[in-house]
């Protein structure tokens, strides 16, 4: 089974700072996803990628960008963090042809 | 539009009691259906899934779920809850035409009292 690692578990940033959240898988799966989790709203898809340098917007891409330069790594970027981006961010991986997501442990971001 | 509804924001059950968490979906055809569990401070873990066939599916940790097409439901059950089952539970769907997107419900937080 794939292992998904989000190295930053807790971050505190100031408004306007640039924030990088990294996600690394230990296999070679094509599909990687960034979700945002907020109480009462479940998980909402921010961006996903189905191959290196390929990306697609999800449901709430505003204020975010992503980078996938290597197959195993998918980064979420907040160009200028705002307080309404305080949230839990979850990375997930899905093998091509499968439908089950494997999640990282999450990165809890607080923007002051 | 596709959607998943979990009508209960939170549920409290006594340890040893039975549990049912409700999930209804809205989709043009029968999607693939999932239940995930999230323990505090952790990511989500797959409990069980339904793709086709037998409408009663078994998962990990003693959980099961039943797909009812006529009710567009996929309710999660466990006959006897343990304190370690306290967590948040998410129902999810994926279109069975090979789409990328998984759509999640808002989640149900389960509290277990001694």
């Amino acid at each position: 089974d794939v292992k998904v690692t989000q190295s930053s578990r807790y971050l505190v940033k100031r408004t306007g700072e640039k924030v990088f959240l990294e996600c690394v898988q230990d296999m070679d799966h094509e599909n990687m996803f960034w979700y945002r989790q907020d109480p009462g709203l479940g998980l909402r898809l921010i961006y996903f990628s189905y191959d290196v340098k390929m990306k697609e917007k999800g449901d709430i891409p505003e204020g975010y960008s992503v980078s996938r330069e290597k197959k195993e790594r998918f980064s979420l970027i907040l160009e200028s963090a705002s307080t309404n981006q305080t949230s839990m961010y979850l990375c997930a991986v899905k093998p091509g042809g499968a439908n089950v997501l494997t999640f990282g442990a999450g990165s809890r971001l607080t923007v002051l | 539009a596709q959607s998943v509804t979990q009508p209960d924001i939170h549920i409290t059950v006594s340890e040893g009691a039975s549990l049912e968490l409700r999930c209804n979906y809205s989709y043009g055809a029968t999607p693939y259906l999932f239940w995930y569990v999230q323990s505090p401070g952790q990511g989500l873990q797959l409990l069980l899934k339904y793709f086709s066939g037998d409408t009663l599916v078994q998962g990990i940790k003693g959980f099961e779920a039943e797909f009812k097409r006529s009710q567009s439901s996929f309710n999660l059950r466990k006959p006897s809850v343990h304190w370690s089952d306290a967590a948040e539970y998410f129902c999810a769907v994926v279109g069975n035409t090979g789409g990328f997107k998984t759509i999640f419900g808002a989640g149900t937080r389960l509290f277990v009292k001694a």
Side-chain angles (χ1 to χ4, degrees):
Chain A
D1 292 350
V2 63
K3 182 178 179 183
V4 182
T5 301
Q6 294 180 241
S7 51
S8 300
R9 294 295 311 275
Y10 300 93
L11 302 93
V12 179
K13 299 292 182 180
R14 299 224 174 258
T15 301
E17 281 193 80
K18 191 169 186 176
V19 181
F20 291 88
L21 300 180
E22 295 227 305
C23 174
V24 178
Q25 59 164 313
D26 67 351
M27 290 191 173
D28 216 24
H29 296 314
E30 295 90 339
N31 305 310
M32 299 186 74
F33 304 78
W34 276 106
Y35 286 89
R36 172 177 171 158
Q37 181 183 8
D38 298 289
L41 298 178
L43 279 70
R44 293 178 291 166
L45 182 63
I46 305 172
Y47 268 97
F48 66 96
S49 168
Y50 49 90
D51 207 342
V52 174
K53 297 191 185 294
M54 308 301 288
K55 60 185 179 184
E56 293 283 344
K57 293 180 180 178
D59 299 315
I60 52 164
E62 296 79 17
Y64 303 94
S65 62
V66 290
S67 172
R68 193 163 181 201
E69 297 297 319
K70 293 184 178 180
K71 201 161 192 178
E72 69 270 19
R73 189 179 299 267
F74 190 36
S75 301
L76 180 68
I77 303 158
L78 288 66
E79 294 287 343
S80 178
S82 63
T83 55
N84 63 13
Q85 292 178 309
T86 291
S87 187
M88 169 72 99
Y89 291 89
L90 292 166
C91 175
V93 172
K94 183 163 73 172
N99 289 291
V100 176
L101 293 166
T102 299
F103 285 85
S107 299
R108 183 166 294 282
L109 172 67
T110 301
V111 182
L112 302 176
Chain B
Q2 304 162 23
S3 65
V4 178
T5 302
Q6 294 180 246
D8 303 305
I9 296 172
H10 54 79
I11 282 182
T12 300
V13 299
S14 298
E15 192 169 17
S18 63
L19 170 71
E20 182 169 31
L21 301 183
R22 296 182 290 164
C23 172
N24 293 94
Y25 65 90
S26 173
Y27 195 76
T30 300
Y32 299 141
L33 297 156
F34 306 83
W35 276 98
Y36 289 85
V37 60
Q38 184 182 35
S39 298
Q42 299 299 315
L44 278 69
Q45 178 186 19
L46 179 72
L47 271 180
L48 48 77
K49 60 185 184 289
Y50 173 78
F51 288 173
S52 65
D54 192 343
T55 56
L56 184 65
V57 294
Q58 303 297 321
I60 62 171
K61 306 185 181 186
F63 285 91
E64 66 178 27
E66 185 172 13
F67 168 59
K68 292 186 177 179
R69 185 191 307 273
S70 61
Q71 298 177 20
S72 296
S73 69
F74 189 56
N75 294 349
L76 182 72
R77 300 195 294 247
K78 187 170 185 178
S80 177
V81 168
H82 187 263
W83 63 266
S84 61
D85 293 325
E88 190 153 22
Y89 293 80
F90 293 91
C91 183
V93 303
V94 173
N96 59 8
T97 55
F100 288 103
K101 287 180 59 175
T102 301
I103 298 171
F104 289 86
T108 298
R109 183 165 293 280
L110 173 65
F111 298 96
V112 180
K113 62 182 181 182

